[in-house]
Amino acid sequence: MKMALQMAFKNLIGAGLRTWLNVSVLSFCFIVIVFYNGFLNGWQKQGRLDAMNWEFAQGQLYHADYDPYDVFTIQDAHGSLPEGESQHLTPVLIQQATLYPNGRMNPILIKGIPLDQKVINLPIDLLAKSTADIPVFIGKRMAESAKLSEGDQVLLRWRDQYGTYDAANITIAGIFDTEVATIDQGQIWLTLDKLWKMTGLTDEATLYIADSQYQPQPISGWNFQSLNSLLKDFESAVQAERIGSMVIYLVLLGIGLLAIFDTQVLSVFRRQREIGTYIALGMTKNQVLKIFTVEGGMYSIFAGIVGMVIGAPLFYYTATQGINIGSSAEGMGVRMANIIYPAFGPGLVTGTLLVLVFSAKLVSFLPARKISKMNPVNALKGKLS
Amino acid sequence: MSEKIIITENLVKRFPVGDGEFTALNNINLSFEKGEFSGIIGPSGSGKTTLLNIIGSLDSPTEGSATVLGHRISDLSHKESAFLRNMHIGFIFQVYNLLPVYTVFENVEFALILQKRSATERKKAVMQALEWVGLENMADKKPSKLSGGEGQRVAIARAMVKRPELVLADEPTANLDAKNAHAILKTMKTLNKELNTTFLFSTHDEKVMDYLNRLVRLEDGEVDKDDIVQPKYMV
């Protein structure tokens, strides 16, 4: 094997431009595959982390009637936990409402959460400083879409526990910035005490957010949603994107491998005398076949090295500075931060390289198989047999 | 009596041509002893190279047998014939067949790498082989930088470096001018004398014949003459 590696190395270096053209194409494939996978990894990692920090913590306990994807369940999905069951849980009450910014009518959700909560990053405690009658907190996306600024007063209409409409001016006491659009767009946050008072639903909640010490146990009328189940849709979206991107990889890889295949077909044809000489000098056909196959694999190793040399600065820069995708992904309905920090682990680089090496060896082996059927006398004469 | 290292008995080689067959060698009965400096001569198409290829275990007879260094060629597997060539037979070709991406040193060294010799042993043997052919100062040159004569001398060094019992040279002077042809023939004759290596040529070059001790003439695949001769040039 050592001899095959040394000979393949010399043959490739000796082939000059032909080798470097193949290596260029393959290294481009390598960079694109690693980069895009790194982007997806970063997106997944960041989405998960943001979701934990800003929305789900370690999981959520839903009221049995609550379905976040069915707005008709929201108004009536609330209740209280039995005595002593609320340890390590933070209540959130969710109600439907209508906001009237500048005379327009916006259907929204109002969410109440305790002022002293620490389970998610939402800086609700800032509301304590406000002297307004109903101070609320909104995200920057909501502020932009409703054209609201800090200090603005806007009319809010909601229904109380009896279904009676009530309305009042609320004051935008603060605007928070988060990467998680699902706690921002189309909703306002206020203290749970205030929402209880406004709706009359004292001590009631739609869901509870669990902290890291919470031990899930069956509670009648409530369903625990683990972090993994809450992130299932997001993970599926990432997975779908990965599968979709396979088409791009296959096309790219196909182009790179076609170049190698083409080179090897030509090599076996052009280098017949060389093959004959190897055999005349005492190599077996299988040893010669191995050299040609290793040559193909070596293209991909060169491509990996060149790809890393060219790609490493790009990978490092994007992994540390992030890629600003702006708000382009918000309308796609998937959890995506404005800035994605790609994650390029050694597993990704090694895995991609292994795929390249294996597939390059395979496409080199196919044309090189002809060697095993080659008549050495004809090979020495340079006659295709 | 000297040891017979090549024996052919009723050797026949046929090639398929269209729907029929072409007989390249017919009923060849020959033997060559160790240390001979012999040639198979004859016009193009007489079967010289075919016979050399069978003796070199690159091809096998259709009928009859060829026994080289005690090995019956038709009985050898691919691996066994590769081993025979690797350990005991050196080849010199008309077009040198040097490996273009390797230096002169590496081309000569290649035969020893296949024998899995140590690096120190290889270096010593290669430098000695290059000395035999007068190319010790060109070890780092690539084949593309060599003249025809130098290229063929590298091929001789490559064939001789492993000190084989048998060297098969197929038209080794065909691409050389007279001066270079004489130079390499003298080199081979010297190596034949000093190392007692058997040389078997396939040639129709008069210059080569002037160095040979025995001439086997083939005509249409059959032995026409087999003469012990007094070489014109001695070393």
Side-chain angles (χ1 to χ4, degrees):
Chain A
M1 190 63 187
K2 189 182 165 195
M3 186 179 73
L5 282 169
Q6 284 173 340
M7 289 178 70
F9 179 80
K10 275 193 176 295
N11 288 341
L12 290 195
I13 295 293
L17 186 65
R18 185 160 41 92
T19 297
W20 297 114
L21 281 173
N22 282 336
V23 167
S24 309
V25 176
L26 265 190
S27 61
F28 176 72
C29 301
F30 176 78
I31 291 172
V32 171
I33 293 172
V34 170
F35 182 79
Y36 197 63
N37 265 308
F39 178 83
L40 291 178
N41 287 349
W43 172 29
Q44 188 172 23
K45 194 173 153 190
Q46 212 172 324
R48 206 177 161 87
L49 203 65
D50 285 342
M52 277 174 71
N53 291 340
W54 285 88
E55 190 175 10
F56 300 138
Q58 299 301 318
Q60 293 185 337
L61 190 65
Y62 281 1
H63 186 273
D65 297 334
Y66 177 58
D67 178 358
Y69 300 110
D70 182 359
V71 287
F72 296 108
T73 65
I74 293 174
Q75 199 63 25
D76 300 320
H78 48 78
S80 309
L81 281 179
E83 192 75 25
E85 297 282 4
S86 60
Q87 264 198 335
H88 303 298
L89 292 170
T90 301
V92 176
L93 178 63
I94 305 172
Q95 290 289 286
Q96 284 180 296
T98 309
L99 194 69
Y100 295 88
N102 305 310
R104 288 178 290 118
M105 189 173 76
N106 279 9
I108 57 155
L109 294 177
I110 42 176
K111 292 184 173 177
I113 192 166
L115 197 63
D116 57 353
Q117 71 81 26
K118 295 277 184 273
V119 72
I120 55 173
N121 285 354
L122 196 73
I124 195 82
D125 53 332
L126 293 176
L127 290 181
K129 293 174 191 163
S130 175
T131 54
D133 192 26
I134 307 177
V136 301
F137 212 38
I138 57 172
K140 63 174 184 182
R141 295 173 186 79
M142 175 69 183
E144 273 168 27
S145 63
K147 295 186 172 46
L148 291 170
S149 310
E150 202 171 320
D152 284 355
Q153 287 202 329
V154 60
L155 182 66
L156 178 77
R157 188 184 70 160
W158 71 96
R159 291 165 74 181
D160 66 13
Q161 60 179 320
Y162 305 112
T164 311
Y165 283 105
D166 205 347
N169 271 335
I170 57 170
T171 304
I172 310 299
I175 295 172
F176 63 89
D177 190 2
T178 178
E179 302 289 5
V180 182
T182 48
I183 63 160
D184 174 345
Q185 195 72 271
Q187 49 201 285
I188 61 172
W189 289 85
L190 66 167
T191 64
L192 187 59
D193 289 339
K194 183 66 78 181
L195 188 57
W196 278 341
K197 207 168 166 184
M198 286 161 64
T199 57
L201 298 169
T202 308
D203 292 333
E204 298 210 2
T206 307
L207 58 89
Y208 288 84
I209 305 173
D211 68 15
S212 56
Q213 289 168 20
Y214 178 71
Q215 297 295 325
Q217 50 198 324
I219 302 171
S220 171
W222 296 84
N223 302 320
F224 183 73
Q225 309 290 322
S226 67
L227 181 63
N228 284 339
S229 70
L230 289 167
L231 284 168
K232 204 170 69 187
D233 291 344
F234 167 66
E235 302 281 3
S236 302
V238 176
Q239 195 55 32
E241 189 59 35
R242 277 190 204 283
I243 293 165
S245 60
M246 286 293 284
V247 177
I248 301 168
Y249 302 159
L250 288 176
V251 169
L252 277 172
L253 207 60
I255 293 168
L257 295 179
L258 195 66
I260 293 181
F261 184 81
D262 187 42
T263 305
Q264 293 301 81
V265 169
L266 274 174
S267 271
V268 173
F269 181 75
R270 275 190 333 111
R271 291 163 65 188
Q272 282 182 80
R273 274 184 198 282
E274 185 185 326
I275 293 166
T277 306
Y278 287 142
I279 294 170
L281 288 174
M283 287 184 97
T284 62
K285 286 176 183 174
N286 280 344
Q287 280 177 308
V288 182
L289 177 66
K290 194 190 271 181
I291 293 170
F292 277 72
T293 309
V294 170
E295 276 181 26
M298 207 165 267
Y299 277 120
S300 54
I301 293 171
F302 283 179
I305 295 167
V306 171
M308 278 311 291
V309 169
I310 296 170
L314 173 76
F315 299 156
Y316 177 77
Y317 181 80
T318 52
T320 52
Q321 302 299 310
I323 301 166
N324 192 339
I325 55 164
S327 53
S328 55
E330 276 169 22
M332 290 161 58
V334 289
R335 187 182 300 277
M336 199 171 224
N338 288 350
I339 297 175
I340 300 284
Y341 295 89
F344 306 105
L348 171 62
V349 176
T350 317
T352 310
L353 193 59
L354 283 177
V355 169
L356 278 186
V357 172
F358 177 77
S359 39
K361 279 182 90 167
L362 184 69
V363 296
S364 297
F365 173 75
L366 296 176
R369 272 184 318 169
K370 198 173 177 59
I371 293 167
S372 61
K373 291 174 192 151
M374 209 176 254
N375 178 333
V377 174
N378 287 340
L380 277 167
K381 287 179 189 163
K383 284 184 186 169
L384 188 66
S385 57
Chain B
M1 192 180 165
S2 280
E3 179 193 350
K4 286 182 179 172
I5 64 166
I6 303 168
I7 304 164
T8 66
E9 289 174 315
N10 306 321
L11 189 148
V12 176
K13 181 68 183 176
R14 292 191 200 97
F15 293 108
V17 178
D19 293 333
E21 279 184 330
F22 166 73
T23 305
L25 294 171
N26 192 19
N27 200 29
I28 305 290
N29 288 289
L30 288 169
S31 64
F32 295 91
E33 291 176 1
K34 186 167 173 58
E36 275 195 34
F37 201 72
S38 315
I40 302 164
I41 61 169
S44 292
S46 59
K48 305 185 295 290
T49 302
T50 305
L51 181 57
L52 222 60
N53 287 334
I54 292 172
I55 293 170
S57 77
L58 290 170
D59 209 345
S60 55
T62 312
E63 284 171 26
S65 71
T67 307
V68 178
L69 296 159
H71 302 275
R72 205 178 145 98
I73 298 300
S74 50
D75 292 346
L76 297 177
S77 66
H78 282 301
K79 216 172 172 178
E80 285 165 339
S81 59
F83 183 78
L84 176 69
R85 289 192 296 272
N86 181 17
M87 301 306 286
H88 305 291
I89 303 175
F91 284 89
I92 299 169
F93 306 101
Q94 181 181 339
V95 285
Y96 330 139
N97 284 1
L98 298 178
L99 303 169
V101 298
Y102 298 110
T103 61
V104 165
F105 183 94
E106 289 164 341
N107 262 285
V108 179
E109 187 190 24
F110 188 80
L112 300 178
I113 292 175
L114 290 178
Q115 292 187 346
K116 299 189 182 352
R117 303 255 198 106
S118 73
T120 325
E121 208 181 336
R122 291 202 305 263
K123 191 174 178 186
K124 197 176 158 193
V126 171
M127 288 319 290
Q128 189 179 30
L130 289 176
E131 219 172 284
W132 289 336
V133 297
L135 289 177
E136 62 270 34
N137 297 326
M138 301 190 117
D140 296 331
K141 287 220 160 44
K142 287 276 174 71
S144 56
K145 303 286 177 197
L146 303 176
S147 68
E150 288 165 345
Q152 194 58 298
R153 279 194 277 160
V154 176
I156 295 170
R158 182 175 64 184
M160 290 305 298
V161 70
K162 57 189 179 185
R163 294 180 181 239
E165 282 98 320
L166 174 64
V167 172
L168 302 172
D170 187 9
E171 307 276 10
T173 55
N175 288 345
L176 300 178
D177 57 40
K179 192 181 161 196
N180 273 310
H182 282 294
I184 69 134
L185 285 163
K186 276 178 189 162
T187 306
M188 287 195 269
K189 187 83 184 177
T190 306
L191 291 169
N192 163 250
K193 206 172 171 185
E194 287 179 4
L195 304 174
N196 199 29
T197 306
T198 309
F199 277 79
L200 184 57
F201 292 79
S202 145
T203 187
H204 50 33
D205 185 346
E206 295 286 342
K207 293 188 289 297
V208 177
M209 293 178 213
D210 289 343
Y211 284 81
L212 301 176
N213 302 98
R214 181 181 167 190
L215 297 174
V216 176
R217 184 177 175 79
L218 291 186
E219 190 76 50
D220 294 331
E222 291 182 6
V223 177
D224 182 40
K225 278 183 187 172
D226 184 355
D227 299 325
I228 304 293
V229 292
Q230 186 61 38
K232 186 175 173 185
Y233 297 106
M234 302 291 282
V235 178

